[in-house]
Amino acid sequence: AASTPKPLPSSGPKSLREMPHPLATSSSEEMGPALTPSPDLLLPRSIADKDLSLPNGTPVDTSSPASSSSLLNRLQLDDDLDVETRDLFVTVDDPKKHVCTMETYITYRVTTKTTRAEFDLPEYSVRRRYQDFDWLRNKLEESQPTHLIPPLPEKFVVKGVVDRFSEEFVETRRKALDKFLKRITDHPVLSFNEHFSVFLTAKDLNAYKKQGMALLSKMGESVKYVTGGYKLRSRPLEFAAIGDYLDTFSLKLGTIDRIAQRIIKEQLEYLVELREYGPVYSTWGGLEVELSEPLEGVSACIGNCCTALEELSEDMTEDFLPVLREYILYAESMKNVLKKRDQVQAEYEAKLEAVALKKEDRPKVPTDVEKCQDRVECFNADLKADMERWQNNKRQDFRQLLMGMADKNIQYYEKVCVT
């Protein structure tokens, strides 16, 4: 007779507010008494209390560096150490515009260097367009439903507002696509996915799409066909805490994104006024010979302010906003995986109830119930591992981003004050 299924793991009777903030350190001395965790941003201890470390096992110092320059140097050193253990490198570059009869589109060169035995050659170079990256992500979601798939940059572009063929837009998208592939490359499971290998190596990806290799795993198929007839009783506390955290994180980050966009808009409007304002003093100086020198000085000062403000606005547009939007989309991706986990758990609970209702002298657990239990446990393990990896990446990305933006603002005010 088959054994009785084990109960689903739970974090116990702890309330969500007793769980530590995911950004809190284990030592109160590092954070200081003034920084207390926000009660609405919570994660389980299994995720929050672990020491930060890079993929190569190098511990990450949680103390604040003196400047973003020292931080960048430290991160570069960590990357160099990790290079020794990597066996797959992917880059996206060289965007090209293609004009056809029916459409105009941009392709990007995807270069792969690897020492993995799964690849026939040590280096590949193929060209891909945005819809190819979208196809890859959909295939990863189908074949790896228990894992967090990195987000793609948003495809939708408002006509008349953003020119999707402008150099600025294409470069911003290229950076996002490059980061998308690097996220997959660094993942211990996704990087070995067969669809990912085809994406990196196939010269004619359209031919592969038409063939339809049907590489969905059994896990993918089972999750794909789960209906909405099952209703989850309640999430385990650790996953409920993750869901609450993601909701709050998305809300706060969305607010920061909107404020940042408004600041950039106002900066650009101010920049237009400054550019019209400066030449007025030069014209005035031509009419007032005795005042020409100080008036020209004011005009030059305004010109320097224009240059400094333009650089600051470009940095916020090209470096700050894309990271915010990526993590907003990342949170939505994690929520989708969490919903899939809930569906499988609901299915498992429904099957257990059906077995319990059967009146038999020797109740046996059907094989499909055991398989469903295995899927739940698989989801739990993969989701927690990906959440921990995502939290580590987020800490590093946001620390680098915020320290870098602080330095940019300091440099801006130094230029303005010197002039």
Side-chain angles (χ1 to χ4, degrees):
S3 59
T4 304
K6 295 179 292 184
L8 294 176
S10 173
S11 57
K14 293 181 182 178
S15 66
L16 295 182
R17 296 190 176 275
E18 291 177 340
M19 299 182 184
H21 188 282
L23 301 183
T25 57
S26 57
S27 173
S28 59
E29 296 178 357
E30 295 181 9
M31 294 295 291
L35 298 179
T36 57
S38 173
D40 57 353
L41 295 179
L42 303 168
L43 271 184
R45 297 184 183 275
S46 60
I47 297 177
D49 288 350
K50 292 189 177 181
D51 294 333
L52 298 183
S53 61
L54 297 172
N56 63 350
T58 306
V60 177
D61 183 15
T62 56
S63 60
S64 299
S67 68
S68 64
S69 300
S70 62
L71 173 66
L72 293 175
N73 291 336
R74 189 177 70 198
L75 292 178
Q76 184 63 46
L77 177 62
D78 293 334
D79 289 341
D80 291 341
L81 292 173
D82 195 33
V83 166
E84 299 177 2
T85 61
R86 293 180 182 174
D87 55 6
L88 182 63
F89 301 85
V90 181
T91 57
V92 179
D93 59 9
D94 189 28
K96 287 185 178 180
K97 184 177 181 180
H98 300 261
V99 180
C100 302
T101 305
M102 300 298 295
E103 62 176 338
T104 301
Y105 58 93
I106 303 292
T107 63
Y108 304 85
R109 180 175 62 189
V110 178
T111 304
T112 305
K113 296 182 180 180
T114 182
T115 57
R116 290 186 180 180
E118 292 82 2
F119 292 85
D120 296 330
L121 301 174
E123 186 171 347
Y124 295 87
S125 180
V126 294
R127 298 204 70 84
R128 298 287 184 255
R129 55 188 298 186
Y130 180 89
Q131 67 180 26
D132 297 329
F133 288 85
D134 189 47
W135 170 86
L136 170 63
R137 191 179 189 284
N138 290 334
K139 286 299 182 182
L140 290 176
E141 280 193 328
E142 291 176 356
S143 57
Q144 310 283 175
T146 63
H147 286 287
L148 171 62
I149 310 302
L152 277 172
E154 295 168 302
K155 182 178 182 180
F156 180 73
V157 176
V158 180
K159 293 184 178 179
V161 178
V162 178
D163 180 9
R164 66 189 183 97
F165 298 115
S166 66
E167 292 184 7
E168 294 79 7
F169 178 81
V170 171
E171 177 59 17
T172 299
R173 172 162 286 186
R174 182 203 66 78
K175 290 179 180 179
L177 295 176
D178 181 76
K179 182 175 288 187
F180 168 72
L181 292 187
K182 282 181 169 55
R183 300 281 196 200
I184 299 174
T185 301
D186 292 339
H187 197 281
V189 176
L190 300 181
S191 62
F192 288 92
N193 185 274
E194 191 166 354
H195 295 293
F196 184 48
S197 299
V198 170
F199 176 87
L200 297 178
T201 60
K203 287 295 181 182
D204 185 5
L205 191 61
N206 289 327
Y208 174 81
K209 292 178 183 179
K210 294 177 181 178
Q211 290 176 4
M213 292 179 63
L215 296 178
L216 287 179
S217 64
K218 292 182 179 180
M219 172 67 77
E221 291 175 350
S222 62
V223 173
K224 183 178 180 181
Y225 294 108
V226 169
T227 64
Y230 303 111
K231 186 176 181 180
L232 182 66
R233 291 179 178 176
S234 64
R235 282 176 176 169
L237 285 180
E238 56 187 334
F239 295 109
I242 291 176
D244 292 341
Y245 170 74
L246 291 173
D247 289 338
T248 305
F249 178 76
S250 299
L251 179 64
K252 301 300 184 184
L253 212 59
T255 302
I256 295 174
D257 179 58
R258 289 191 298 273
I259 294 174
Q261 291 189 58
R262 188 168 68 244
I263 291 174
I264 294 174
K265 180 177 179 293
E266 292 174 354
Q267 285 178 340
L268 294 177
E269 292 173 350
Y270 177 51
L271 185 59
V272 172
E273 298 293 336
L274 277 182
R275 285 173 175 165
E276 296 178 356
Y277 185 51
V280 173
Y281 286 93
S282 296
T283 305
W284 186 6
L287 300 175
E288 300 280 354
V289 178
E290 295 180 355
L291 298 176
S292 62
E293 185 175 347
L295 291 174
E296 287 293 342
V298 173
S299 179
C301 178
I302 294 176
N304 290 334
C305 290
C306 288
T307 303
L309 183 59
E310 184 176 14
E311 292 175 355
L312 181 63
S313 298
E314 288 178 355
D315 289 331
M316 288 193 67
T317 302
E318 297 175 4
D319 299 330
F320 190 76
L321 289 182
V323 176
L324 296 182
R325 289 167 182 164
E326 180 196 13
Y327 272 92
I328 291 174
L329 295 174
Y330 236 136
E332 292 303 316
S333 298
M334 179 63 80
K335 290 179 185 178
N336 290 333
V337 180
L338 198 58
K339 290 178 181 177
K340 293 177 183 178
R341 194 216 73 86
D342 291 346
Q343 288 179 333
V344 175
Q345 180 184 336
E347 180 187 11
Y348 174 59
E349 291 175 351
K351 290 182 182 295
L352 279 181
E353 288 182 358
V355 172
L357 292 175
K358 291 183 178 179
K359 296 180 180 180
E360 295 180 2
D361 296 335
R362 285 180 153 184
K364 295 182 180 180
V365 179
T367 304
D368 62 333
V369 177
E370 293 181 334
K371 289 181 178 180
C372 193
Q373 178 190 359
D374 292 340
R375 291 200 298 271
V376 174
E377 293 177 352
C378 181
F379 248 115
N380 291 346
D382 290 347
L383 182 57
K384 287 189 285 188
D386 281 359
M387 185 66 183
E388 183 177 348
R389 183 180 296 104
W390 180 73
Q391 287 285 0
N392 287 336
N393 289 337
K394 179 169 64 66
R395 289 185 182 98
Q396 296 179 40
D397 289 346
F398 273 89
R399 179 170 292 192
Q400 181 179 358
L401 174 71
L402 297 176
M403 293 299 294
M405 288 306 300
D407 271 1
K408 293 292 184 182
N409 277 274
I410 292 172
Q411 293 169 12
Y412 165 73
Y413 286 107
E414 286 177 344
K415 293 175 182 178
V416 172
C417 292
V418 169
T419 56

